Structures are given as C-alpha cells and as structure tokens.
Amino acid sequence: MTERKIVVTGATFPDAITRQLQDQGLAVATVPGDLDESAVIRELDGAWGYVLGGSERIGKEAWQRLPDLEVVCFLGTGYSTFLELPEERGPVKFTYTPHGNALAVAEFAIGLMLDIVRRISSRAVDLAQGRWSEEATPSLVGAKLGIVGMGHIGREIARMAECAFGMDVRYWNRTPRPELAELGYTSVDTVEALCAQVDVLSVTCDYQPGVNDGLIGASELAALDGGYLVTTSRAELVDPTALRAALESGSLKGAALDGYYREPTPAPADDPYGLIALVPEKLTITPHCAYLSTQAVRNMADMAAANLLSVAAGENPPYEIPKSN
C-alpha cells in the first residue's frame, strides 16, 4: 500500500490507533484542534485523509481547495456543526463515528444534573473561599426529568436516570417514538409543554444550524420555572439572552452547558452573552468534553480506523455519512 498522509486534529486520538494505521502504510500527523479553517486547509495540503477531532468548522467551499483528499472522518455523530458537506460529494468519502460516544455523553449529562441540583461545584468553590453552607438542596431521586431528543444519548440518559434515581421520564422528539411507551416514558407534544411538566430538562437533540437555533427560548425557560437545565448538545439550541435573564431572575435555578457559543470560551469580560460571569453560582460550563471518556475515545478511533482502512483498500467505508443528510 502506497503511503498516504492523514491529518488528525485535536489531542485525543489514541497512540495505539495511530500505530495501527502506520502499520498499514498510512502516515499520521496530529495538529492542534483549535485551528481556524484557513490553518486546517494549510495543514491538509497534500493530505489523503482528514480526521476532524478538534473544534474547527469547515465550510463546503474548502473541499475544492483539497484535490488530494479522498476520505474525511468526523469523530462523533453530530457532524453538521463542524463539517459542511458539498452538494456534490465527488470522489471524497465523508464518514463519521455514529453513536460511538453515546454512553459517555449520557453519563456526563447525569453528572451535570447532580452537580447543578446538589450544587456540588458551587459549594466546593464556596468552601475554598471560606464559606461553609448547610443549606438543603433538591434531589434527583423521584424527580421529573424531561428529555429533548430521544436518540441514542437521550435514551441512555432516560435509562440511567430511571435506574439510578427512579426519575419520572418524559420527552419530546421530532418524530414519534411509540415504542418508548413500553418503557414507561411519557411523550409530550411540544418542548414548552414538556418544560412545564418537569424539574430538570436535558437537551440532547441534534443541532441543525439555521433550523433549530434557540429551540429552548424565553417561553420554554419560563415554563421551566423553578427547574434546572442541562444540555450536552450544542449551546446554540438554547437562546443565550433568555438563558441569562432566567438565571439572573432566579426563575431558572441552575443550568449546565457542555460547550459554549464561542469555543474556546472568551474571558468573562469579553463574553458577549454575559453568561460566563455566572459560573459557578448559577451556571456550570464545561469545555465540550462530555464525550471524552477513554472508552468512548477508543471506540470512536476504532470506527475511524475502520473507515480509513476501508477506503485505503478501495472498499466502501462502514460508517459513511448518509447522502440523504
């Protein structure tokens, strides 16, 4: 097999998978995951393969500038935020690692719920600053959980929440999921109606730029009065102005975002949304890391390797992004 160059962005690709690819005659180069589009294109000059494991966004015009590229793999499921596909695919195979991190993201979502409801992070900060609190908090045990998006991650969150805490699970999904009724989950017709029925809202649906921005807006947050919000999907699904208003007024008791509207996050003084200043008392923000368990990273890397090696062998990759999408 003729040596081909693969560029991997980000720092999470396991060494064992890199060695596996190298043993098959592929040259792997790792570059930072916070590059802008122009820098990524420069790094991809002459590259045969590209594994998007960083936070860069690549527009559809970029592919015309990369004539040697034959395969692209997004490490994750929700590629549309980071990877804009051309109308005509041409010879490039666009692949991903669907649902390879669902368990890790669901686990992290449960952790965020515990953190904001039981005020774990904010109390640890209080203690470090000499403040000792004995104020009681609500509990997840027996609470009502609303899930926006019952895909693989949403279903895993529901399973974990019910098994661990006996939570009453209700959900909204874009398409009907009648099979979930057998599990005791209750379908709700609108996101706003769901918010009005639950104590904690977990947002796990795919973000579609220009389609569902601000899905959780002022009316939804008003309906969640006295509740908590967690999102392990893109922050853009939550209207930032409405979120700030709800947190500052106290109508929303707490929120947690895995990722932010600008990544990497700006300093609090430079934050156009004024939300970072609310950390940790009212808000928890983590750096888009819900998927970053060692097991999930290895699972996604194995799937990426399967895509790359299949294309190198002249075969169809097992995890190609569907053309209908």
Side-chain angles (χ1 to χ4, degrees):
M1 183 183 297
T2 303
E3 185 175 81
R4 301 176 173 99
K5 176 185 175 183
I6 299 169
V7 173
V8 180
T9 60
T12 63
F13 207 66
D15 291 341
I17 304 302
T18 296
R19 290 193 296 270
Q20 178 188 348
L21 296 173
Q22 291 170 336
D23 289 343
Q24 296 298 314
L26 302 173
V28 181
T30 301
V31 302
D34 59 353
L35 302 178
D36 61 20
E37 182 182 271
S38 296
V40 172
I41 291 173
R42 287 196 297 271
E43 294 289 349
L44 289 173
D45 183 34
W48 169 84
Y50 169 34
V51 178
L52 198 168
S55 59
E56 67 268 22
R57 270 73 162 168
I58 305 297
K60 60 184 177 182
E61 294 81 9
W63 313 116
Q64 299 174 9
R65 301 169 59 185
L66 299 166
D68 299 312
L69 200 63
E70 293 188 27
V71 57
V72 174
C73 184
F74 174 70
L75 286 181
T77 303
Y79 63 87
S80 60
T81 304
F82 302 88
L83 198 64
E84 190 176 8
L85 305 184
E87 283 82 4
E88 298 295 331
R89 298 281 182 95
V92 180
K93 296 290 187 182
F94 290 93
T95 69
Y96 65 150
T97 61
H99 319 305
N101 58 27
L103 286 171
V105 176
E107 173 189 53
F108 200 87
I110 296 292
L112 290 176
M113 290 180 206
L114 281 169
D115 184 64
I116 62 170
V117 173
R118 297 303 310 273
R119 299 193 60 225
I120 297 170
S121 293
S122 61
R123 288 188 176 196
V125 171
D126 283 347
L127 185 144
Q129 295 178 351
R131 297 188 296 271
W132 183 273
S133 173
E134 296 183 357
E135 179 186 358
T137 69
S139 173
L140 294 184
V141 176
K144 296 180 177 67
L145 171 64
I147 299 177
V148 178
M150 281 296 262
H152 285 71
I153 295 170
R155 295 197 301 274
E156 285 297 336
I157 292 172
R159 181 183 64 82
M160 293 177 184
E162 184 181 44
C163 290
F165 305 110
M167 297 184 82
D168 176 358
V169 177
R170 307 174 186 202
Y171 72 92
W172 173 87
N173 201 62
R174 283 184 301 173
T175 56
R177 301 298 301 266
E179 72 277 11
L180 298 180
E182 298 179 3
L183 300 176
Y185 307 151
T186 302
S187 174
V188 180
D189 291 338
T190 67
V191 176
E192 184 175 342
L194 178 65
C195 290
Q197 296 180 23
V198 301
D199 304 302
V200 181
L201 186 75
S202 177
V203 182
T204 65
C205 61
D206 288 339
Y207 171 54
Q208 299 172 297
V211 176
N212 58 0
D213 299 76
L215 178 67
I216 311 300
S219 59
E220 287 76 21
L221 293 174
L224 190 59
D225 186 34
Y228 300 84
L229 170 70
V230 168
T231 176
T232 47
S233 295
R234 299 303 305 173
E236 288 86 348
L237 288 164
V238 181
D239 181 282
T241 302
L243 177 60
R244 179 180 176 182
L247 288 169
E248 289 184 334
S249 71
S251 64
L252 189 65
K253 296 302 182 184
L257 308 175
D258 181 44
Y260 200 57
Y261 304 92
R262 287 173 56 184
E263 296 180 2
T265 49
D270 299 324
D271 178 16
Y273 308 107
L275 287 166
I276 296 175
L278 303 181
V279 177
E281 185 62 26
K282 297 176 180 291
L283 179 64
T284 295
I285 303 174
T286 51
H288 192 202
C289 59
Y291 69 100
L292 283 177
S293 74
T294 54
Q295 295 91 335
V297 166
R298 178 57 190 258
N299 191 31
M300 290 187 293
D302 282 336
M303 297 168 76
N307 286 328
L308 296 166
L309 293 173
S310 293
V311 175
E315 302 169 355
N316 289 326
Y319 307 106
E320 187 168 7
I321 296 173
K323 288 184 171 61
S324 59
N325 285 12

